Amino acid sequence: MTELADAPVTEHERSTTRIPHWIGGARVDGTSGRSGPVYNPATGVQTGAVDLASVEEVDGAVQSACEAFVTWRETSLAKRAELFFAIRELFHARRKDLAEVLTAEHGKVLSDAMGEVARGLEVIEFACGIPTLVKGGFSEQASTGIDVYSIRQPLGVVAGITPFNFPAMVPMWMWAPAVACGNCFVLKPSEKDPSASLLTAELLKEAGLPDGVFSVVHGDKVAVDALLEHPGVAAVSFVGSTPIARYIYETGTKHGKRVQALGGAKNHMIVLPDADVEMAADAAVSAGYGSAGERCMAVSVVVAVGDVADPLVDAIKQRLPNVKVGNGLEPENEMGPLITREHRDKVASYLESGAEQGATLVTDGRETAPEGDGFFLGVSLLDNVTTEMDAYRDEIFGPVLSVVRAETYDDAVGLVNDNPYGNGVALFTRDGGAARQFQFDVQAGMVGINVPIPVPVAYYSFGGWKASLFGDTHAYGPESIHFYTRGKVVTSRWPDPATSKVDLGFPQTR
Ligand code: NAD
């Protein structure tokens, strides 16, 4: 990333599409003189050059958001709800356009990109209920002649810093509740696939969102640090890898901001001996290789308990030759490329290190990757993986599924609980009692029972435990309303002035 930041603009980049910022309701060309390359991962060809913001440009976006906040926070709940219904309709109508932008820069297959937009739309639908969501409480006659009520008010300007793997949905997790709550939102999207954020900005404007309420500043560490240090930014939401999440949390809170920082993951899918093996294999393949494994909720490790291991590994292996890998725009393909050449090579290196460290390389995706310059790797399966191996310890974030064999249920759950991450986890079983015990025992934020990718619906909140979350508020759902507002409690009385007297005692509730 620093490499990109320091690179001067080349002739080739000048011939590709320029991807500017969005500030004050319009596209604004960057003035820093720095840009980063954007690729079509399916072809390996550079298609764009994204402007990387300077500290001054970030300041300009925050100033514009601060100005917009004055009017936006006064906009009635009725008007905000009406606007969110319009936003929902427009995003729904243009969902295919948005999905195509995602496929072009991220590489995920179009059907998966449509799924991303659909899950993001659910959060916009949740935000349509904003009048109910920010409703306070009221206690009449809390003390004699005294009423007490609570209200929730927006924070001001809030920032979102988002990862490459969900360029539309993760920003929707943030801006929809933040803006509905009355805040102005500055998005710093991933510089690897930045165009979805510009289309988002254009659609929001078309739907009627006032200028300055939603802005986009592209950039790298320079822009992120400027947001973390800016006195005009009240809160920061982050989604990305664990080391950066930790940095964002520590730096943001040091500068007095409210911060929620969602980090990386290593999601386990435990298969008990009584599970339906065919169903478990279908689930492992779908959740392990969907979006080329570049999902924070992807299944990365299958924990096969007892004698289910051999039939399960066989059933997974049999399915792999049928997974169609290729350009995401071609409808027959089920899995696209990885985000960059470097990331593809890093993912592939775990096949080598896994085999060297004693795992069994059952299926080697390097042998099945489509030809050409695209950043492809075929689906890969490692068996007999142990907890000391790099393939187990690191978040691979690619189409590599590891199988760890455990003797008992207790061993399997112990493995999950000892892992530093705690994002998603799944259990496959036909035993209701075991499932209930599992949801009680397991240390993870999102649990699936015979559901391999338990991403909560929009009216619950999304978030992990341990190194998968810094801060204590999860994304979207009720916790997002809490995160993007501050509580205020009003105690009021309307006494008869004739009864007024001086009383230096501490107010008592009688
Ligand atoms: P990343 O951490 O590299 O980047 C995320 C954001 O941080 C980007 O906007 C990037 O520009 C910025 N950034 C990167 N390096 C920085 C630095 N040194 N200083 C300041 N800012 C920096 O993550 P990524 O590769 O874009 O996304 C993949 C990661 O995101 C995976 O670890 C995945 O598990 C995680 N993720 C987590 C969730 C979740 O909900 N927990 C969801 C999606 C992705």
Side-chain angles (χ1 to χ4, degrees):
M1 180 160 160
T2 320
E3 260 170 52
L4 301 184
D6 294 341
V9 179
T10 63
E11 274 313 311
H12 177 63
E13 282 169 348
R14 285 199 188 95
S15 68
T16 56
T17 305
R18 179 175 196 166
I19 302 164
H21 310 298
W22 180 274
I23 299 170
R27 287 174 177 246
V28 176
D29 284 345
T31 54
S32 73
R34 296 186 312 128
S35 71
V38 176
Y39 295 93
N40 178 343
T43 61
V45 171
Q46 187 185 339
T47 54
V50 61
D51 289 334
L52 301 176
S54 63
V55 174
E56 293 71 31
E57 287 169 306
V58 171
D59 183 52
V62 175
Q63 293 299 344
S64 145
C66 286
E67 281 158 30
F69 178 64
V70 177
T71 335
W72 182 240
R73 69 160 295 203
E74 287 179 352
T75 306
S76 71
L77 286 168
K79 282 197 179 128
R80 277 189 253 157
E82 188 181 26
L83 178 60
F84 265 82
F85 277 102
I87 292 171
R88 192 268 167 203
E89 282 314 299
L90 189 59
F91 275 74
H92 181 71
R94 299 285 302 279
R95 64 195 186 284
K96 185 141 186 272
D97 298 337
L98 197 47
E100 281 169 356
V101 172
L102 300 179
T103 298
E105 290 184 356
H106 174 281
K108 62 179 72 180
V109 297
L110 194 59
S111 54
D112 190 34
M114 292 290 284
E116 169 177 351
V117 178
R119 290 306 300 258
L121 266 167
E122 289 176 16
V123 179
I124 295 177
E125 286 159 8
F126 171 76
C128 290
I130 193 64
T132 320
L133 295 169
V134 291
K135 237 161 90 174
F138 189 96
S139 300
E140 185 189 43
Q141 196 74 343
S143 183
T144 307
I146 291 187
D147 302 328
V148 179
Y149 53 97
S150 64
I151 50 182
R152 297 208 68 89
Q153 297 187 330
L155 304 178
V157 176
V158 299
I161 300 159
T162 53
F164 79 81
N165 67 326
F166 285 106
M169 182 187 77
V170 168
M172 286 170 179
W173 288 0
M174 300 174 182
W175 64 253
V179 167
C181 285
N183 301 285
C184 291
F185 189 85
V186 179
L187 173 64
K188 204 306 283 172
S190 170
E191 68 281 22
K192 295 189 180 111
D193 41 19
S195 294
S197 62
L198 278 187
L199 182 52
T200 296
E202 282 166 359
L203 293 177
L204 288 174
K205 185 176 171 101
E206 191 181 332
L209 191 72
D211 293 347
V213 176
F214 178 86
S215 314
V216 180
V217 279
H218 298 292
D220 50 13
K221 186 168 166 50
V222 174
V224 170
D225 286 346
L227 286 169
L228 292 175
E229 290 166 17
H230 201 296
V233 173
V236 176
S237 299
F238 172 88
V239 174
S241 61
T242 287
I244 310 299
R246 182 181 281 115
Y247 170 76
I248 300 283
Y249 184 75
E250 289 173 354
T251 314
T253 50
K254 196 172 96 193
H255 286 88
K257 298 180 197 324
R258 189 179 283 196
V259 182
Q260 54 176 189
L262 283 70
K266 191 81 186 173
N267 305 313
H268 296 68
M269 170 177 156
I270 299 178
V271 183
L272 295 187
D274 72 333
D276 182 311
V277 171
E278 300 301 320
M279 190 175 101
D282 283 338
V285 172
S286 312
Y289 304 109
S291 201
E294 290 175 325
R295 290 182 184 141
C296 66
M297 290 292 277
V299 167
S300 175
V301 183
V302 170
V303 186
V305 179
D307 57 13
V308 81
D310 286 339
L312 182 62
V313 170
D314 261 4
I316 295 174
K317 184 184 165 189
Q318 276 169 24
R319 283 158 171 78
L320 299 190
N322 302 328
V323 177
K324 296 190 188 66
V325 182
N327 190 322
L329 287 177
E330 289 157 16
E332 70 274 16
N333 290 328
E334 297 165 294
M335 191 184 104
L338 286 118
I339 185 71
T340 59
R341 183 172 288 113
E342 296 71 29
H343 184 55
R344 188 265 318 270
D345 295 345
K346 174 137 198 272
V347 171
S349 76
Y350 287 101
L351 301 175
E352 210 161 292
S353 68
E356 274 166 21
Q357 292 167 16
T360 313
L361 182 52
V362 180
T363 306
D364 186 343
R366 291 170 297 188
E367 292 166 0
T368 56
E371 288 184 359
D373 293 329
F375 311 143
F376 289 103
L377 180 67
V379 293
S380 303
L381 181 63
L382 285 168
D383 190 10
N384 296 306
V385 172
T386 60
T387 52
E388 305 78 43
M389 295 178 188
D390 292 336
Y392 180 79
R393 295 165 73 94
D394 295 353
E395 180 189 30
I396 301 178
F397 222 55
V400 178
L401 197 56
S402 298
V403 177
V404 175
R405 294 170 178 240
E407 280 182 21
T408 63
Y409 164 88
D410 286 340
D411 293 343
V413 175
L415 201 75
V416 176
N417 288 351
D418 286 346
N419 195 278
Y421 297 106
N423 214 41
V425 68
L427 179 77
F428 276 68
T429 183
R430 282 187 265 215
D431 181 340
R436 191 169 182 280
Q437 187 61 40
F438 177 70
Q439 57 101 34
F440 183 80
D441 291 336
V442 78
Q443 291 174 24
M446 293 168 285
V447 180
I449 307 290
N450 297 316
V451 171
I453 307 187
V455 175
V457 290
Y459 43 96
Y460 285 82
S461 296
F462 180 108
W465 286 16
K466 302 191 275 184
S468 297
L469 177 82
F470 300 86
D472 46 19
T473 329
H474 291 190
Y476 67 75
E479 295 196 29
S480 68
I481 303 303
H482 192 267
F483 183 77
Y484 291 123
T485 56
R486 281 187 291 203
K488 195 179 260 181
V489 178
V490 182
T491 304
S492 80
R493 64 181 182 136
W494 300 94
D496 177 353
T499 65
S500 178
K501 63 178 181 11
V502 171
D503 180 356
L504 299 193
F506 193 69
Q508 303 207 13
T509 53
R510 289 280 179 273

